[in-house]
Amino acid sequence: MKQKQFKKIVNKYKDIIYNQAFYFTRNKEDAEDITQEVFIKLWHHLNNIKLTSLKAWILKVTRNLCVDYSRRKKEHISISFNNNEQKSSILETLPDEHSSPEKKAINIDLKEHITRVINHLPEKIRTIVIMRDIQDLKYETIAETMELPLNSVKTYLHRGRKILSKNLSTYYKNDFLRE
Amino acid sequence: MTCQEFNNLMFDYTEGHLPSKQSKAIEAHLQQCHKCKIAFSQYKDIIQKLHQLPNLKCPDTVVEKVFNSIPITDTKIPLSTKIYQSISRRLSWKIRFAMGVAVVIFCILVFYPGQEKIEYDQQIFTTEEIEKAKKDAELALGYFHYYVAKTEQVIENQVITNSLIKPITTIKKALKPSLNGG
């Protein structure tokens, strides 16, 4: 019975955990390890977790593991895709069908730069930006996971967006991106 | 509206949380202030680009590794444990603590015998009081026997000493209520 319940939970949350871990660490292997570790911890604590708090628990553990991995690896600003092929396969699927090839290339480059700069954000702000603007999680969920008031979450998010906007201002000097 | 005021309201404006009056004021400011217009445009674009970043799929190999590392057989949990775990997951620790205290108080009230009480002569005495009275009576009886023996000795010797008079008086006073039927 426990195994059946566990499998359901794994299938429901695996992508959320993997996404958060990947965008936080920007490393595929670390993201896989983190995802695996979260589920193993979940298996051992499944009987002690309240069902209503399961999602928050999972996100909290994911976030803590991401921070641990990040600190251990002492991340720097660098692209951590495995190879160029993988990089382009992920970003080329984004909706830019009507743009010119040139514009498309600039947009891909911009998005890559965004993911790089996200890595530069302070840990708390990084987590919130990923959870809200990439994963589209609700503010209440984020507040519960981060154990912060709702207004603090919004403040950190705004701060993160402003930092990204400031860091990427060079891209906006180019008229190609102004639509 | 100043640029500072616009900066302070930018987030709420983007999220659509502002009343229409304030939104209109912001729109008017953006039409006049080129700097804020560009900053706002970049801010919105960043959000849009973030939303467009792909939601990646977790590789199946990860899930397989997870299932391989957990025990295959499900150990049977007793029904009482399942019920307890099910209840305890739904109740906060405060409620569980209060329930525990209530059970303890209930057990004390129902099962604790308290002091046994005996009715005597329309008065209720505790066992403690009865034991004390018994000891006092034994002591008094002891004194009585002693002084009876002493008195017999006096009668025999026909000598009454001061050492005898006082104790007899004391005992007589102590026994007065009993002698009078009190």
Side-chain angles (χ1 to χ4, degrees):
Chain A
M1 190 66 169
K2 186 184 174 185
Q3 211 182 25
K4 214 176 174 182
Q5 188 189 17
F6 181 70
K7 278 182 181 172
K8 263 188 191 172
I9 295 170
V10 166
N11 288 322
K12 188 176 177 185
Y13 290 105
K14 60 182 180 176
D15 291 337
I16 294 173
I17 296 169
Y18 183 74
N19 268 287
Q20 192 178 341
F22 179 80
Y23 282 111
F24 196 97
T25 61
R26 299 233 322 128
N27 185 289
K28 189 173 166 276
E29 281 82 27
D30 285 350
E32 288 178 9
D33 289 343
I34 288 168
T35 308
Q36 202 178 328
E37 236 177 282
V38 169
F39 285 128
I40 290 169
K41 280 183 192 277
L42 177 65
W43 170 258
H44 291 295
H45 292 95
L46 194 57
N47 291 328
N48 303 328
I49 303 167
K50 276 189 211 167
L51 292 170
T52 47
S53 320
L54 181 65
K55 189 174 184 178
W57 187 93
I58 287 172
L59 292 171
K60 220 177 280 189
V61 170
T62 307
R63 195 243 157 180
N64 291 339
L65 284 171
C66 287
V67 169
D68 290 343
Y69 267 72
S70 223
R71 284 177 189 171
R72 260 186 269 159
K73 285 221 161 179
K74 289 176 189 173
E75 280 263 273
H76 299 289
I77 305 170
S78 60
I79 301 170
S80 6
F81 287 103
N82 286 334
N83 49 49
N84 285 333
E85 211 177 285
Q86 186 176 2
K87 173 175 76 182
S88 48
S89 71
I90 288 170
L91 295 177
E92 271 182 359
T93 56
L94 298 172
D96 254 338
E97 294 146 357
H98 302 295
S99 306
S100 64
E102 205 169 21
K103 227 178 190 175
K104 212 173 175 180
I106 293 167
N107 265 327
I108 289 169
D109 193 42
L110 171 61
K111 282 160 188 165
E112 238 183 72
H113 198 68
I114 288 172
T115 56
R116 227 179 295 160
V117 176
I118 285 171
N119 221 226
H120 237 1
L121 293 171
E123 286 162 358
K124 214 178 261 183
I125 294 177
R126 195 191 318 175
T127 310
I128 291 172
V129 166
I130 291 169
M131 288 175 90
R132 178 64 193 162
D133 286 337
I134 300 176
Q135 295 188 285
D136 204 26
L137 295 173
K138 289 181 191 170
Y139 284 115
E140 290 78 13
T141 308
I142 299 170
E144 196 184 348
T145 304
M146 302 294 293
E147 289 171 341
L148 289 169
L150 208 61
N151 284 335
S152 299
V153 170
K154 292 179 180 178
T155 305
Y156 282 123
L157 179 65
H158 180 54
R159 223 180 275 175
R161 288 169 175 174
K162 284 195 88 175
I163 293 170
L164 289 171
S165 177
K166 191 180 169 188
N167 271 283
L168 297 162
S169 57
T170 46
Y171 282 90
Y172 294 99
K173 284 175 188 167
N174 190 331
D175 283 337
F176 278 115
L177 292 173
R178 287 190 190 160
E179 289 176 15
Chain B
M1 182 177 279
T2 62
C3 294
Q4 182 60 44
E5 283 168 343
F6 166 70
N7 268 317
N8 294 339
L9 294 171
M10 202 197 306
F11 179 84
D12 289 324
Y13 178 67
T14 316
E15 299 284 308
H17 292 159
L18 290 179
S20 59
K21 197 179 175 184
Q22 267 183 321
S23 299
K24 282 180 183 167
I26 284 177
E27 280 154 22
H29 177 79
L30 288 174
Q31 278 178 4
Q32 291 164 3
C33 180
H34 186 65
K35 193 180 161 191
C36 286
K37 189 178 178 182
I38 290 174
F40 182 62
S41 170
Q42 289 174 10
Y43 184 86
K44 269 200 319 178
D45 196 54
I46 285 293
I47 298 170
Q48 195 190 25
K49 293 289 183 287
L50 286 169
H51 283 320
Q52 286 174 356
L53 288 172
N55 267 314
L56 307 165
K57 204 175 170 314
C58 177
D60 292 332
T61 48
V62 174
V63 177
E64 277 165 27
K65 281 182 194 171
V66 169
F67 290 140
N68 288 339
S69 56
I70 60 170
I72 297 165
T73 52
D74 213 350
T75 51
K76 280 193 176 174
I77 303 169
L79 181 65
S80 55
T81 312
K82 282 185 191 174
I83 292 168
Y84 170 74
Q85 284 170 352
S86 170
I87 293 169
S88 66
R89 256 188 282 170
R90 284 164 174 78
L91 298 175
S92 71
W93 70 267
K94 286 178 191 171
I95 295 172
R96 278 185 270 162
F97 179 73
M99 282 171 71
V101 168
V103 166
V104 168
I105 292 169
F106 176 76
C107 289
I108 289 169
L109 289 173
V110 170
F111 298 112
Y112 184 63
Q115 281 184 316
E116 197 183 343
K117 291 188 177 156
I118 296 168
E119 195 178 322
Y120 177 74
D121 198 21
Q122 293 175 359
Q123 278 188 23
I124 295 174
F125 298 94
T126 63
T127 46
E128 239 178 56
E129 285 167 336
I130 291 167
E131 289 302 314
K132 191 174 180 298
K134 273 186 190 172
K135 280 181 185 167
D136 289 344
E138 276 168 12
L139 191 64
L141 196 63
Y143 271 116
F144 179 73
H145 283 305
Y146 171 70
Y147 285 106
V148 160
K150 271 275 190 180
T151 312
E152 281 170 359
Q153 197 181 17
V154 163
I155 292 167
E156 203 179 306
N157 299 336
Q158 295 183 349
V159 172
I160 295 177
T161 61
N162 278 337
S163 65
L164 191 63
I165 293 170
K166 200 175 176 185
I168 289 175
T169 323
T170 310
I171 287 170
K172 271 175 90 175
K173 271 187 188 171
L175 291 173
K176 198 175 179 184
S178 307
L179 292 170
N180 293 340

